[in-house]
Amino acid sequence: MAPQIPDDVQAADLDRAARSRLRTLSKDNADGVARHLVMAGRLLDEDPELAYEHAQAAVRRAGRVDVVREAAGITAYRTGRYAEALRELRTVRRLNGSDEHLPLLADCERGLGRPERAIVVSQEDAARTLPDDLKVELAIVVAGARLDLGDPDAALAALETPAVRGAQGEAAERVARARAEALTAAGRSEEADTLLRGLATDDELDVVVYDLAEDDHEHEGGGGDAEPSAGDHASGEGDQEASAADEAFAAEEVAGEAASGDASPAESDGAEGREAGEG
């Protein structure tokens, strides 16, 4: 059963760029999908599990649309379903050719206990052409992977790139925390403590949220970071409708991932959320 949507949530609440990706759907179906995507974006921080359910409802109605699979991948990531997130985000990459989720792909590999593969992902040619903010996120993931492998010096080196040194604001604070962790692992606790004392706050930062619906897109295929709100009214039914073409596409995706060794969407519900680009 599809999760409920408040009556005041409208398809128009999804930004124009994301709505344009839904034009291949019938109007009624596009409106229903858009409303689920709006809810997924709004709930991502306060109730990621419910955000995931909204994304899944959208997938059942429009599984061939990149922004829908993007929402599925991001919400899966935020709920610790790393294998599923990996599969969905790879699908998004095939659908729209964007490399913007490379940090998340790498961090999913970490979440699955495969730090070596996270590092391989970070070394793809596409990583060199990412915008600086995503390079920072990827560097944080790589530093974590190096620590997973017991190499704090390599972790520190990963945080010394020009993009990382130029990080500002929240990104700079997250870099500092990653560097402090690596310093501690390297036996340089005093340096780590000094670095942490220099931060504006010692509170742990949340995972950075990828937008599911945002008017000004910085990267291709984005969707919205709306204010969180809880839904308390039922939306119209119809979320079970899925075209034969969508079902065939889904079957092709499962077959493709089976060939690459990531067929089952194993859930890691007890795993802690990781920081990745959203890092």
Side-chain angles (χ1 to χ4, degrees), residues 266-277:
E267 298 179 5
S268 304
D269 291 328
E272 294 180 356
R274 296 174 178 272
E275 290 188 348

Side-chain angles (χ1 to χ4, degrees), residues 26-45:
S26 68
K27 184 181 185 307
D28 287 346
N29 195 30
D31 286 352
V33 169
R35 295 177 73 213
H36 279 299
L37 293 181
V38 170
M39 291 303 298
R42 290 185 179 183
L43 294 166
L44 193 58
D45 277 333

Side-chain angles (χ1 to χ4, degrees), residues 111-258:
L112 291 168
R114 303 187 300 220
E116 301 93 342
R117 289 178 66 169
I119 293 170
V120 170
V121 170
S122 76
Q123 294 170 340
E124 292 185 17
D125 290 342
R128 290 194 287 270
T129 61
L130 291 174
D132 282 352
D133 61 331
L134 294 184
K135 286 181 179 177
V136 171
E137 299 298 344
L138 187 57
I140 292 173
V141 175
V142 171
R146 293 295 188 185
L147 287 180
D148 293 343
L149 294 170
D151 193 346
D153 291 335
L156 288 168
L159 298 171
E160 291 298 330
T161 66
V164 173
R165 289 197 298 269
Q168 298 180 353
E170 182 178 313
E173 187 168 355
R174 295 178 59 245
V175 168
R177 292 183 182 282
R179 183 174 285 119
E181 184 179 0
L183 286 169
T184 300
R188 298 159 62 182
S189 298
E190 290 186 7
E191 292 177 62
D193 291 342
T194 299
L195 183 59
L196 289 174
R197 281 196 297 270
L199 298 178
T201 176
D202 286 334
D203 293 334
E204 289 296 325
L205 293 175
D206 293 332
V207 176
V208 175
V209 178
Y210 270 89
D211 292 338
L212 297 181
E214 184 177 82
D215 287 336
D216 297 321
H217 283 274
E218 293 182 1
H219 311 294
E220 181 183 354
D225 190 16
E227 291 296 324
S229 66
D232 55 3
H233 298 294
S235 66
E237 295 298 326
D239 293 281
Q240 303 304 320
E241 61 178 74
S243 67
D246 284 344
E247 293 174 352
F249 181 80
E252 292 170 5
E253 288 303 319
V254 171
E257 293 302 334

